[in-house]
């Protein structure tokens, strides 16, 4: 297992955003988190990355308890994420945005030790080469010199993924990557996520586009009012009466 979420509860005052949620993700899987608005999906991402502290429960990553570690330490261990609302540096170039993602892991821990003996220039060059490779991967190779703010919405979403990949994650968390994308952009996103999976990266994805989720995911968990309603393969989820009732809609 790459990730084990054990009995996570998160309360905000009187609101229970997550109630005793457990699930595990295997190496190389694409695992989907779906459910209606306010079900607790983003709160789960925030608990995994410790952007918010869970009220109780634990998160294990590659067998180690990472609950309570500072978010940058969690990135350093190999969990990177994108956000529901795009968070780029709009007045930096596309290339610079990706290089920032590489720095976030280089600046601490094991990477710092590896690079301590090497010159700053060499480090920058390596980061730049890697960033260019990732821009090619996400289909933005021709756009490296543009300011991020001049990209289309779909391109900005792909740039966020490239930036998250720059830190060489073992586990990539994607928060609604297809939001605001047209059909062609969504299709390109599907291909991209499949490619990232084939590179050995494990993926946890929150997404509303059910056609995309069902084609992409190996397994899915359905959240509803902070509780885990169901878990299974796309086929199992699509045929689960409780899921149909609460989320997918009746025939
Ligand atoms: P959406 O798909 O609309 O983003 P979601 O499934 O990601 O929804 P969350 O954003 O995790 O849901 O929210 C779960 C619940 O927790 C909601 O009731 C929300 O209002 C509440 N919540 C989330 N963050 C906070 C916060 N910082 N303070 C108070 N309540 C919060």
């Amino acid at each position: 297992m790459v990730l084990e979420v054990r009995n996570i509860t998160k309360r905000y005052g009187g609101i229970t955003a997550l109630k005793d949620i457990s699930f595990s993700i295997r190496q190389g899987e694409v695992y989907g988190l779906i459910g209606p608005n306010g079900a607790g999906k983003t709160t789960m991402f925030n608990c995994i990355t410790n952007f918010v502290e869970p009220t109780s429960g634990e998160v294990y990553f590659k067998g180690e308890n990472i609950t309570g570690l500072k978010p940058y330490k969690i990135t350093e261990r190999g969990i990177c994420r994108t956000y529901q609302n795009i968070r780029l540096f709009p007045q930096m170039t596309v290339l610079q945005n990706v290089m920032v993602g590489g720095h976030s892991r280089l600046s601490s821990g094991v990477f710092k030790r590896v690079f301590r003996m090497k010159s700053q220039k060499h480090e920058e060059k390596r980061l730049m080469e890697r960033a260019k490779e990732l821009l090619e991967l996400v289909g933005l190779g021709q756009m490296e010199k543009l300011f991020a703010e001049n990209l289309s919405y779909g391109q900005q979403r792909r740039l966020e993924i490239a930036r998250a990949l720059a830190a060489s994650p073992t586990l990539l968390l994607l928060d609604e990557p297809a939001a605001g994308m047209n059909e062609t952009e969504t299709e390109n996103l599907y291909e991209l996520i499949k490619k990232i999976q084939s590179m050995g990266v494990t993926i946890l994805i929150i997404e509303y586009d059910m056609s995309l989720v069902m084609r992409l995911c190996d397994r899915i968990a359905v959240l509803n009012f902070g509780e885990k309603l169901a878990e299974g393969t796309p086929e199992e989820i699509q045929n689960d009466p409780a899921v149909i009732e609460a989320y997918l809609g009746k025939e």
Side-chain angles (χ1 to χ4, degrees), residues 10-13 15-18 34-46 52 84 175-176 206 208 223 226:
K10 176 64 190 176
R11 286 191 207 97
Y12 292 106
I15 298 169
T16 303
L18 292 171
I34 66 172
N37 285 330
K41 305 178 297 294
T42 297
T43 303
M44 180 51 76
F45 270 23
N46 288 339
V52 302
Q84 197 172 349
D175 197 341
E176 293 187 38
I206 296 174
Y208 278 98
L223 299 186

Side-chain angles (χ1 to χ4, degrees), residues 76-247:
E76 188 189 314
R77 297 271 181 121
I79 302 181
C80 298
R81 70 181 287 185
T82 64
Y83 299 88
Q84 197 172 349
N85 303 312
I86 293 173
R87 294 189 189 181
L88 293 168
F89 298 103
Q91 301 200 1
M92 282 168 72
T93 67
V94 164
L95 183 65
Q96 286 167 337
N97 266 277
V98 182
M99 288 177 69
V100 168
H103 273 295
S104 69
R105 197 164 174 189
L106 274 175
S107 58
S108 58
V110 65
F111 281 81
K112 197 172 183 179
R113 286 194 292 280
V114 169
F115 284 97
R116 193 159 40 202
M117 305 305 288
K118 302 189 176 180
S119 72
Q120 186 84 13
K121 213 171 159 190
H122 180 87
E123 190 178 314
E124 285 294 317
K125 190 166 172 257
R126 200 190 150 283
L127 265 179
M128 190 183 292
E129 280 164 9
R130 171 88 179 130
K132 287 184 177 193
E133 281 168 20
L134 289 169
L135 285 173
E136 287 297 332
L137 176 80
V138 302
L140 297 175
Q142 305 297 312
M143 299 182 175
E144 61 172 66
K145 294 195 172 78
L146 296 181
F147 286 124
E149 66 184 358
N150 292 328
L151 297 189
S152 73
Y153 192 75
Q155 288 167 338
Q156 290 192 14
R157 287 229 165 260
R158 291 215 300 279
L159 178 54
E160 271 219 310
I161 295 175
R163 187 176 59 181
L165 288 173
S168 302
T170 304
L171 175 65
L172 177 63
L173 310 186
L174 300 174
D175 197 341
E176 293 187 38
M181 285 190 175
N182 63 33
E183 222 172 286
T184 314
E185 288 171 331
T186 305
E187 205 45 45
N188 292 339
L189 178 71
Y190 169 82
E191 298 294 340
L192 174 60
I193 295 174
K194 279 291 185 194
K195 229 187 281 176
I196 295 169
Q197 181 185 26
S198 74
M199 287 158 50
V201 179
T202 305
I203 295 166
L204 175 57
I205 179 172
I206 296 174
E207 187 47 64
Y208 278 98
D209 182 332
M210 281 309 110
S211 151
L212 180 66
V213 166
M214 296 302 168
R215 285 189 297 148
L216 203 52
C217 296
D218 299 297
R219 288 186 305 136
I220 296 167
V222 186
L223 299 186
N224 192 35
F225 292 112
E227 297 192 48
K228 191 169 90 174
L229 189 65
E231 182 180 32
T233 62
E235 202 188 348
E236 286 164 348
I237 292 300
Q238 277 171 303
N239 293 312
D240 186 314
V243 178
I244 294 168
E245 172 81 27
Y247 185 51

